[in-house]
């Protein structure tokens, strides 16, 4: 258990619910595990900050020696504001925002993710060293929505367009020094072995490439019947491929990986309160209504993702024994705001057997450190942003993002002049 019951209760008493609670110890352990990824000719671990971009989390991980993978110019600016050196940030973005030029000038690195992006980079910075993201034609993911490789994914330059990459690079005197591939989130070592071999074959076309970036997507088990990716198992196969490539070509490629979920998912929980319990009769369901929802976590509603849950009973005078099957739902006026969908089928309601709960009890959603605070239906129904709290190594609780004042929801709105309506 990454975050113990007493920390969840303490955080709720201090800051109310809902809130996100992260464990510094678990973040530290995950950083150590990624830094042990086998790499015969050097390793850079880049934290995919889209998973959880809180400044404290960023600085805890970069303090361990990790660099940053940014998915937008805004993420890069956020990392710099948090205290990260621009030279430790690399952007791989679906949209190359016009301000990329300012970021490059202060030292941020770029991976071109389309031919048009490569043209734009070359037009502004002829002669620059740059990376390119390639779609190798292979993807991996628990469902289609988490698959970012293959013919159904728009991420990266299609692997059959290598000659076009060379043409654009030559025209602008660009030096291709890094090949980036990222296929999605999965745990099958054989898939990762195949994609590393395919990526190395791409590197053969670019003699100046010194860095191979295999991206992230290392799956984390959130339920007892799920498998986590073994970095050592994957890494051993990648190491073997890199060594064989070096023996054949004389090129010792530096390896980069970009874990996000793997670093922070298990380090965080979503602490919520049961605010109502309703029933739809003998042929229906017993529903636990929480004071949180898709406003704080949208993975179950989007992917049919499964998260372990636990109930912390708050009233010692009303201690309930036993378990019941519940459908756990959120607070939004939205039929899809469900925490217990059928696995991989977000449109289908499923029950979850949990300890009996009363109104006022805490319900803890586990493995909520990644793609929750950063990826949600934030502000839907005008719910303000929930706070984030860190459980320190010594057991102290630190508020690292305050609950948003509701007035901020409309502070950027501009009233029409008098008489218009």
């Amino acid at each position: 258990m990454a975050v113990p019951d007493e920390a969840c209760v303490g955080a709720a008493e201090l800051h109310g619910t809902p809130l996100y609670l992260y464990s510094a110890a678990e973040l530290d352990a995950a950083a150590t595990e990624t830094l042990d990824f086998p790499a015969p000719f050097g390793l850079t671990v880049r934290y995919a900050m889209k998973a959880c971009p809180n400044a404290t989390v960023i600085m805890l991980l970069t303090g361990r020696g990790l660099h940053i993978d940014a998915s937008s110019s805004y993420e890069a600016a956020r990392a710099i504001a948090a205290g990260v050196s621009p030279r430790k940030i690399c952007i791989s973005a679906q949209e190359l925002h016009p301000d990329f030029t300012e970021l490059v000038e202060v030292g941020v690195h770029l991976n071109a993710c389309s031919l048009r992006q490569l043209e734009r980079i070359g037009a502004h910075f002829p002669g620059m060293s740059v990376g390119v993201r390639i779609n190798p034609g292979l993807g991996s993911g628990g469902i289609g929505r988490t698959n970012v490789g293959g013919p159904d994914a728009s991420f990266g330059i299609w692997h059959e367009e290598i000659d076009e990459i060379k043409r654009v690079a030559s025209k602008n005197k660009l030096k291709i020094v890094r090949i980036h591939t990222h296929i999605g989130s999965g745990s099958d070592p054989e898939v990762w072995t195949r994609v590393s071999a395919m990526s190395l074959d791409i590197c053969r076309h670019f003699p100046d490439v010194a860095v191979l970036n295999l991206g992230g997507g290392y799956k984390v088990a959130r339920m007892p019947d799920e498998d986590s990716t073994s970095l050592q198992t994957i890494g051993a196969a990648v190491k073997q491929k890199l060594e064989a490539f070096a023996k054949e070509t004389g090129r010792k490629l530096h390896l980069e990986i970009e874990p996000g979920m793997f670093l922070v998912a298990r380090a965080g929980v979503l602490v919520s309160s049961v605010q109502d319990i309703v029933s739809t009769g003998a042929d229906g369901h017993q529903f636990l209504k929480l004071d949180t929802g898709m406003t704080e976590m949208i993975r179950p509603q989007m992917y049919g993702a499964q998260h372990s849950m636990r109930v912390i009973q708050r009233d010692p005078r009303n201690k309930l024994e036993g378990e019941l099957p519940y459908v756990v739902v959120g607070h939004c006026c939205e039929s899809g705001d469900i925490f217990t969908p059928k696995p991989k089928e977000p449109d289908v309601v499923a029950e979850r057997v949990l300890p009996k709960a009363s109104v006022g009890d805490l319900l803890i959603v586990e493995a909520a450190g990644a793609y929750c605070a950063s990826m949600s239906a934030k502000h839907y129904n005008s719910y303000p942003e929930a706070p984030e709290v860190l459980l320190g190594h010594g057991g102290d609780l630190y508020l690292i993002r305050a609950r948003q004042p509701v007035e901020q929801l409309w502070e950027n709105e501009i009233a029409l002049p008098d008489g218009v309506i």
Side-chain angles (χ1 to χ4, degrees):
M1 187 183 300
V3 183
D5 285 359
E6 55 267 29
C8 295
V9 172
E13 289 177 346
L14 285 170
H15 305 293
T17 59
L19 61 82
Y20 304 98
L21 180 55
Y22 310 119
S23 164
E26 190 70 23
L27 289 168
D28 196 53
T32 297
E33 192 170 354
T34 60
L35 289 166
D36 285 340
F37 194 99
F41 311 117
L43 173 70
T44 298
V45 178
R46 294 188 180 277
Y47 169 47
M49 63 175 284
K50 63 181 179 178
C52 183
N54 184 284
T56 296
V57 173
I58 288 172
M59 295 314 293
L60 281 171
L61 293 174
T62 55
R64 288 296 315 277
L66 276 65
H67 292 206
I68 291 293
D69 160 47
S71 294
S72 70
S73 294
Y74 299 108
E75 281 193 351
R78 191 171 183 174
I80 293 169
V84 179
S85 166
R87 297 188 180 280
K88 293 185 176 180
I89 300 169
C90 187
I91 299 175
S92 302
Q94 282 284 81
E95 177 191 0
L96 193 61
H97 197 265
D99 70 357
F100 83 90
T101 55
E102 299 168 24
L103 292 167
V104 169
E105 286 166 357
V106 297
V108 172
H109 303 283
L110 294 179
N111 290 323
C113 296
S114 72
L115 289 170
R116 188 178 301 278
Q117 286 189 15
L118 193 61
E119 289 271 17
R120 289 174 61 196
I121 293 167
H124 284 280
F125 299 103
M128 174 177 154
S129 293
V130 68
V132 291
R133 177 171 177 171
I134 306 288
N135 181 336
L138 175 69
S140 175
I143 61 172
R145 291 180 182 181
T146 59
N147 187 336
V148 293
D152 293 334
S154 67
F155 299 88
I157 303 171
W158 187 241
H159 64 98
E160 294 175 345
E161 295 184 313
I162 285 174
D163 286 343
E164 265 306 284
I165 296 172
K166 290 180 176 180
R167 183 192 66 77
V168 174
S170 176
K171 182 180 77 171
N172 296 284
K173 297 182 173 57
L174 294 173
K175 188 176 181 182
I176 307 298
V177 296
R178 181 174 48 258
I179 293 297
H180 179 290
T181 58
H182 175 49
I183 60 172
S185 53
S187 59
D188 185 354
E190 180 56 33
V191 173
W192 290 95
T193 301
R194 285 171 58 199
V195 80
S196 61
M198 295 166 72
S199 301
L200 285 167
D201 283 341
I202 293 168
C203 291
R204 296 176 193 277
H205 293 275
F206 300 96
D208 294 322
V209 164
V211 177
L212 173 62
N213 186 318
L214 290 178
Y218 308 110
K219 182 175 173 56
V220 169
R222 292 179 169 89
M223 297 288 286
D225 60 343
E226 294 180 349
D227 294 322
S228 290
T229 301
S230 167
L231 296 189
Q232 287 299 312
T233 300
I234 290 173
V238 172
K239 177 175 180 285
Q240 188 178 44
K241 295 289 185 185
L242 287 168
E243 289 173 335
F245 183 84
K247 185 175 181 179
E248 176 191 344
T249 66
R251 299 166 61 189
K252 297 180 178 181
L253 299 184
H254 183 93
L255 180 66
E256 292 186 350
I257 59 173
E258 295 174 344
M261 182 196 316
F262 194 91
L263 283 163
V264 296
R266 291 171 292 198
V269 297
L270 176 59
V271 181
S272 70
S273 295
V274 178
Q275 51 94 1
D276 206 349
I277 302 174
V278 301
S279 172
T280 50
D283 297 326
H285 306 286
Q286 189 95 334
F287 293 86
L288 293 184
K289 290 187 176 183
L290 307 181
D291 65 352
T292 185
M294 59 200 295
T295 44
E296 282 73 46
M297 176 187 282
I298 204 169
R299 298 188 72 258
Q301 299 88 340
M302 182 180 291
Y303 303 135
Q306 304 295 295
H307 287 256
S308 294
M309 299 175 183
R310 55 186 150 114
V311 173
I312 302 175
Q313 296 181 358
R314 300 295 303 278
D315 187 354
R317 300 166 299 176
N318 187 33
K319 189 168 179 60
L320 302 177
E321 302 294 338
E323 299 177 324
L324 282 176
Y326 293 108
V327 174
V328 182
V329 299
H331 58 186
C332 290
C333 186
E334 189 71 35
S335 61
D337 193 9
I338 300 167
F339 280 91
T340 55
K342 185 176 179 181
K344 301 180 183 180
E345 296 186 40
D347 294 336
V348 182
V349 170
E351 293 181 332
R352 181 80 60 85
V353 176
L354 293 167
K356 289 182 180 179
S358 300
V359 171
D361 288 344
L362 297 182
L363 188 139
I364 312 303
V365 186
E366 306 280 4
Y371 302 104
C372 292
S374 64
M375 186 182 77
S376 64
K378 191 174 294 185
H379 297 157
Y380 187 53
N381 291 165
S382 293
Y383 284 105
E385 196 172 53
E388 293 174 285
V389 180
L390 181 75
L391 174 63
H393 288 284
D396 291 332
L397 294 167
Y398 303 94
L399 184 65
I400 59 173
R401 185 181 72 188
R403 190 176 302 279
Q404 183 180 31
V406 69
E407 294 81 9
Q408 285 187 3
L409 298 184
W410 57 82
E411 69 180 4
N412 290 329
E413 296 177 9
I414 299 173
L416 290 171
D418 290 344
V420 173
I421 54 173

